[in-house]
Amino acid sequence: MAMILKWALFALAVMLVAWIVPDVSVENFQSALLLAFIMGLINLFIKPFLSLITLPINFLTLGLFGLILNSGLFMLAGYFVPGVSINGFIPAFLGSLILGFLGGIIYQAEWKHLP
């Protein structure tokens, strides 16, 4: 139950990003749910591999290249989801920053009262 609630809250965070960032648009809540699911899969399977490959660049930039990697993966997820449009790198960068902040709040919250 807690995982479904986190997924729905992350989809709401995606909708909030689309509302805040001008060049990020999400047509409906179903598209936001699908984007949250695809982003979860990308973060589970693709991001660890890319983080390992880009470790020297990330080391040289003191971790700032991770922000660029997150932006690219956000754009990649938006490319695969119908109804989601991310027009450019700067909106993807801002959107990934906001989603990272909101995702940290969502996933660090206490969900002990849920089964």
Side-chain angles (χ1 to χ4, degrees):
M1 179 71 174
M3 187 168 62
I4 294 172
L5 181 62
K6 288 180 185 181
W7 180 33
L9 287 174
F10 197 79
L12 285 174
V14 168
M15 296 290 286
L16 182 65
V17 166
W19 184 66
I20 293 172
V21 181
D23 285 335
V24 175
S25 64
V26 178
E27 284 185 9
N28 52 26
F29 189 68
Q30 291 173 343
S31 297
L33 280 172
L34 185 58
L35 182 68
F37 181 73
I38 296 294
M39 286 182 64
L41 290 178
I42 286 174
N43 285 334
L44 182 65
F45 294 113
I46 297 174
K47 187 177 179 182
F49 178 70
L50 290 178
S51 295
L52 185 65
I53 289 175
T54 60
L55 188 63
I57 298 169
N58 214 357
F59 181 74
L60 288 174
T61 61
L62 303 174
L64 292 177
F65 189 76
L67 297 173
I68 295 171
L69 183 63
N70 284 341
S71 303
L73 293 176
F74 182 52
M75 287 179 70
L76 178 69
Y79 177 76
F80 286 115
V81 177
V84 175
S85 174
I86 303 169
N87 299 324
F89 180 76
I90 299 298
F93 183 77
L94 293 174
S96 67
L97 280 177
I98 296 169
L99 272 179
F101 177 74
L102 293 175
I105 292 171
I106 291 167
Y107 287 105
Q108 293 299 320
E110 293 290 328
W111 303 100
K112 292 180 183 178
H113 62 283
L114 295 174

